[in-house]
Every structure is written in C-alpha cells, then in structure tokens.
Amino acid sequence: MSSVGSTTAAKLARERQPHGQPLWLLAELTYKCPLQCPYCSNPLDFADTGAELSTEQWIDVFRQARRLGAAQLGFSGGEPLVRRDLERLIAEARQLGYYTNLITSGIGLDAARIAAFREAGLDHIQVSFQAADEEVNNLLAGSKKAFAQKLAMAREVKAQGYPMVLNFVTHRHNIDRIDRIIELCVELEADYVELATCQYYGWAYENREQLLPTRAQLERAEHITNEYRARLAEQGNPIRLIFVTPDYYEERPKKCMNGWGEIFLTVTPDGTALPCHSARMLPIAFPNVKQQSLEQIWNESSGFNHFRGDDWMQEPCRSCDEKAHDHGGCRCQAYLLTGDMNAADPVCAKSPHHDTILAARQAAEAPAHETDVTYRNERNSRVFARSID
Amino acid sequence: MSAPASQPDKMAAVPVLERMFRFQWEEAQQCYVLLYPEGMVRLNDSAGEILALVDGARSVARICSQLEQKFPAAGDLSGDILEFMEVALEQRWIHYRR
C-alpha cells in the first residue's frame, strides 16, 4: 500500500501500538476449486483441513477485522465463487465500509452473477489467467474449457463497469509469450496487470523444476515489459503493468508480507488465522477465529507475535546492518530450504544456505525434461496430508 | 507550474474522482483514504479536505471558496489547491469533467 502526505500506514500505526493494524484481510472462503494449477498457494494438505466457516462466522470475522482497522477485503480461496453465500458476504462487507476485491479464476462466473455482485456493492474483480494461449492455459489449469470462459468473463467484468486487474502467474512455460500476454490484457482493457512469477512455496515448490524460468528468460520478459510500458504510455493508455521477479534471482530477500503481523491478516476456510497465506506450513500453532477474538489473535497470540521484532534472529541476520530493511526475508522460504524457520532466507547472498538457490538456478538452465507435474487436486493433496501426518 | 494565462481555466474546471477509487473516512486511522484495487492511499489533512469536496459538480473555484470559508485564518488557498489538483491528476485519482 502506498502513502501520500506524511508517513506510511504501518509507521503511523506503530506510534500507537508496538505493531501495525491489519489493514488487509484476506478471506480464503474455501479450498474447493475447479482448476488444478500446479503453482497454487494453498497448503499441500488442504484436503485434510476442518469444516468451512459458516456465513455468520465470516460476517463476524469481517466486523471484528474492520474494528481493528482493516479497509481492504479480498475474497479468495480456492475458488470463492464456489460459496453460494458470496453475494451475502460481499453485501455485508461493503456495508461495513470495506473496499471489496473478488479474486477469481472466472470459472463458475456468468453475467447474472457479476451483476448480482455489483448490486451487493463489489468494488473490483481480479481474474487470473494461466497463459495467453488457449492450449497452454488449459493444460496448466487442468481444464479444457477454462480459457474461453476466462476471456468471456473478463469482457463481461469490464462491460459492467468494474475496475479489473488481470493476474498472470508466469513461469518457464509461458514467460516467453509475455508479449502476447500483454497484448491480450490491452485488448481486454485491464486497468492493472500483474505479471507475477511463481513464488516457490507449497505446490509451486513441489513443481519448481517444471516452473522456474532461466535468468535469460526472465531478463528478456522484463525487457519486453519495459518496452510495452513505454509504448503504451506514449499512446496515452492508462494500463499499468506490474512485473514481479521471483526471489530466486535476487541477492537480497524481500521483506516478507511487509513485516510479519504488521499489515496482513489471512483467515483460512476453517478459521485458522495466519500472518501470510503460506504460513500454515510452518511448525507454529496458529490461532483460530472459532476460539479467540481477532483482537486477541492479532495483538496477543504467540503465532502472530512469533516473528515480530528481531529477537528471534540468528546470524547472519542478527548483526546484519540490513535487518531492519528486509527483516531476514521470508520465513516459509527459510523453513522450506533449510528446515529451520529462524534461519536467514537463503535468497540472501549472505546466507550459508544460498547454495540451494544457486543450485535451483543451475537446474533451470538444463533443458526441460519430461517429468510429471503434480497438479493441485484433492487426490494429490490426500497423499501430502498422509505424509505430513 | 502552469503559465498564469491558464489559471482561470483551471479554476473553472470540475474535478471528478476516477471510478477506480473510493474516498472515505477511516475511523481506525483517523484520516481520509483513497481505496483502489488491493491498495490504499492515506491522505494528509489538507488533501482529505480538498477531496471531500470533489463531487463531479463543484469547480475548483467553488472548492477554493468553500475551504477558505471553512478555514478563514488560512487566507488564499487557491495556490495550494491548484497544486494538489496537479498531483491528483498526475496520480490519476481525478480527471477534469469534459
């Protein structure tokens, strides 16, 4: 979130509290999804989680988070359209004063439902694509009809007057067609375009070898994106292209979630509250909205306080002069690559585990060979759920 | 800054908030904000007071006179308000009604 005038939201909030306010609430309404994207950010063992929160429980979560300062609400999943009470949830959220964002694959959407959401007060729809090419898109989505449906829904979203963000997760199979992706977004009149390379947690980590682009692919894509930016600006086209590079090609880690428990609050389908949508993989007992108030969860729970401040840091982070800047990087990445969630994020060139990143880059240079992709579906998730138990 | 000759035109212009943005008071933060897809701009006091009067009907001149009435001690506000309008146009928060 950006800021104008004086100070950032997080800084201002810190003057009153030791940590920020949960400005951003991500409501993962369900883990059910008709697609099977191999880079899904849901946990590997999603099939093994508890019952979904009821309509009333969600509304109570929205009310509590709003009181704590939340202004942005994302309806996500899984595929949030699967929830038949979505219209009601949107209406209640809008009534509470949230800016409401629907983050969807577009599968399960039609013109009537888009209109019903508008009526309920929905502010914005983000449609995700897997590729600009029908065949690749459908292969990655694990669905034969996905692409045509997405195109039709993106057109309908604009026709009904919503601001629209298009999200393309890029990887080695689609990044070379970034010119076609951008042209498709221009044609669909997107307001913002997120060209976000996979981040390698959960399903994407399992499929990393199949997804990680080479450095040359990445540099070419960024160059082409910059050329389009210049050309589109010259034409007076207000479209904004947001290009996100993967951590794996950086030498310093990113400040995870703008600080653990500083701005973001995710509530998962079964009510588990997380400081980031990936954090469920960490060996931390996270609180649940069925047992505690959001205020207790945000301010007092050990889960949310776990990586606040820097007492938890080890070397090389502890004595590092950049620690306030990146806060040691991503905790999930540290845990995945080193087995220790308190370690420095191996993306950092100062990390003793940086070789794991170098090896992944090296592996990406090898010509792609035919290994199977692990699709994100119930059957595969049950295998992971068993192995985690 | 613009040439003095265009100043009267700018005072007659009618700013409109872009459809992408929602402007509202945030109780928990005690300030006005602009909300847009997955983002938020916190506004300082003067930016908030100006945008609160942007309704697609008032001209810049009307906004100036209303704020000068509300804050008589502040004196002539037109310079500051025109400057803010420039920033808001550049950020695409507003456009002038055509």
Side-chain angles (χ1 to χ4, degrees):
Chain A
M1 296 196 192
S2 60
S3 146
V4 73
S6 45
T7 39
T8 65
K11 254 191 225 158
L12 264 178
R14 229 172 274 136
E15 288 164 13
R16 294 192 290 271
Q17 289 179 337
H19 49 261
Q21 293 171 309
L23 299 177
W24 228 120
L25 173 63
L26 186 69
E28 291 183 338
L29 299 178
T30 179
Y31 284 141
K32 295 193 183 79
C33 184
L35 300 185
Q36 311 180 37
C37 307
Y39 46 75
C40 181
S41 63
N42 286 162
L44 292 171
D45 60 339
F46 72 84
D48 202 31
T49 55
E52 290 179 7
L53 295 183
S54 68
T55 309
E56 299 309 320
Q57 283 171 318
W58 274 118
I59 293 169
D60 188 44
V61 166
F62 300 164
R63 201 171 288 132
Q64 292 186 57
R66 186 80 184 112
R67 272 202 299 273
L68 289 174
Q72 287 282 346
L73 173 52
F75 294 103
S76 173
E79 174 49 67
L81 296 170
V82 171
R83 289 279 300 219
R84 300 318 298 179
D85 57 356
L86 186 54
E87 286 80 347
R88 167 103 196 276
L89 295 176
I90 290 168
E92 294 284 346
R94 185 64 183 75
Q95 197 80 37
L96 288 165
Y98 281 103
Y99 192 91
T100 49
N101 306 273
L102 174 61
I103 300 158
T104 178
S105 69
I107 309 299
L109 203 54
D110 57 39
R113 212 157 180 216
I114 295 174
F117 294 153
R118 194 77 175 144
E119 187 75 16
L122 182 64
D123 291 292
H124 148 238
I125 298 181
Q126 176 183 310
V127 184
S128 63
F129 278 76
Q130 282 70 34
D133 170 284
E134 176 146 27
E135 204 176 319
V136 179
N137 184 89
N138 292 351
L139 176 76
L140 290 161
S143 157
K144 287 196 179 73
K145 292 174 290 187
F147 189 67
Q149 165 72 6
K150 283 163 185 287
L151 280 187
M153 288 307 105
R155 293 201 171 98
E156 189 61 33
V157 165
K158 281 305 282 191
Q160 294 202 24
Y162 286 94
M164 180 171 73
V165 175
L166 294 183
N167 177 281
F168 280 81
V169 174
T170 60
H171 41 72
R172 62 189 296 144
H173 298 293
N174 66 7
I175 198 166
D176 292 334
R177 314 308 300 270
I178 200 143
D179 52 341
R180 282 189 54 187
I181 291 177
I182 295 170
E183 273 166 25
L184 179 65
C185 294
V186 171
E187 188 213 314
L188 292 171
E189 296 175 69
D191 294 285
Y192 297 153
V193 179
E194 290 175 5
L195 303 163
T197 39
C198 280
Q199 299 293 352
Y200 298 97
Y201 321 112
W203 296 88
Y205 182 75
E206 294 300 317
N207 291 308
R208 190 178 68 187
E209 217 176 306
Q210 288 290 326
L211 296 170
L212 186 66
T214 65
R215 186 185 287 280
Q217 280 185 299
L218 192 69
E219 284 173 355
R220 180 178 169 274
E222 193 160 15
H223 179 72
I224 291 171
T225 304
N226 285 333
E227 282 180 348
Y228 269 98
R229 278 185 184 134
R231 202 177 316 155
L232 289 163
E234 220 168 83
Q235 294 164 4
N237 191 323
I239 192 169
R240 288 195 187 183
L241 306 179
I242 300 153
F243 189 91
V244 184
T245 50
D247 288 12
Y248 275 59
Y249 289 101
E250 304 283 353
E251 297 302 318
R252 286 289 181 275
K254 65 176 186 293
K255 186 176 183 183
C256 166
M257 301 314 284
N258 249 316
W260 176 277
E262 289 294 332
I263 291 176
F264 290 92
L265 169 62
T266 297
V267 179
T268 67
D270 67 359
T272 304
L274 304 171
C276 138
H277 56 274
S278 291
R280 197 168 195 151
M281 74 167 78
L282 299 174
I284 293 175
F286 285 105
N288 191 297
V289 299
K290 291 175 191 158
Q291 277 109 43
Q292 284 175 281
S293 74
L294 269 191
E295 193 180 356
Q296 286 172 312
I297 287 171
W298 183 262
N299 291 321
E300 291 158 33
S301 72
S302 58
F304 277 77
N305 280 317
H306 209 101
F307 295 112
R308 282 177 176 148
D310 55 18
D311 288 347
W312 56 272
M313 283 183 187
Q314 309 170 348
E315 292 300 344
C317 297
R318 179 170 283 278
S319 61
C320 180
D321 58 3
E322 294 172 81
K323 70 178 173 183
H325 179 66
D326 57 40
H327 210 64
C330 170
R331 295 301 87 223
C332 295
Q333 200 143 267
Y335 181 61
L336 265 177
L337 295 175
T338 75
D340 177 0
M341 63 177 175
N342 297 304
D345 184 339
V347 161
C348 185
K350 297 179 186 177
S351 159
H353 301 281
H354 190 55
D355 58 319
T356 56
I357 296 289
L358 300 180
R361 287 182 201 166
Q362 194 61 44
E365 294 298 332
H369 46 94
E370 293 297 316
T371 45
D372 282 340
V373 170
T374 306
Y375 286 101
R376 178 251 191 236
N377 55 36
E378 289 258 330
R379 189 169 46 86
N380 286 333
S381 178
R382 296 208 182 280
V383 174
F384 285 116
R386 271 200 299 276
S387 63
I388 288 164
D389 291 347
Chain B
M1 288 307 296
S2 51
S6 67
Q7 208 79 332
D9 292 347
K10 287 188 177 172
M11 293 301 278
V14 175
V16 185
L17 193 66
E18 286 286 355
R19 205 191 47 191
M20 170 95 76
F21 294 94
R22 202 164 87 214
F23 171 79
Q24 70 184 30
W25 175 259
E26 275 300 293
E27 195 57 36
Q29 299 180 59
Q30 290 293 303
C31 70
Y32 283 109
V33 297
L34 277 177
L35 295 165
Y36 60 95
E38 301 180 22
M40 178 171 82
V41 182
R42 294 175 50 95
L43 298 163
N44 61 25
D45 292 347
S46 45
E49 291 289 345
I50 298 168
L51 277 178
L53 296 179
V54 169
D55 62 355
R58 287 188 187 88
S59 64
V60 175
R62 274 276 309 281
I63 292 171
C64 289
S65 63
Q66 267 184 258
L67 286 176
E68 282 163 8
Q69 252 172 34
K70 189 170 175 183
F71 304 101
D76 180 3
L77 291 173
S78 58
D80 290 346
I81 290 172
L82 281 170
E83 200 177 324
F84 172 79
M85 292 297 171
E86 289 299 317
V87 173
L89 282 168
E90 201 183 288
Q91 297 286 330
R92 299 205 188 98
W93 298 339
I94 61 165
H95 62 262
Y96 284 140
R97 211 171 67 192
R98 287 170 280 264

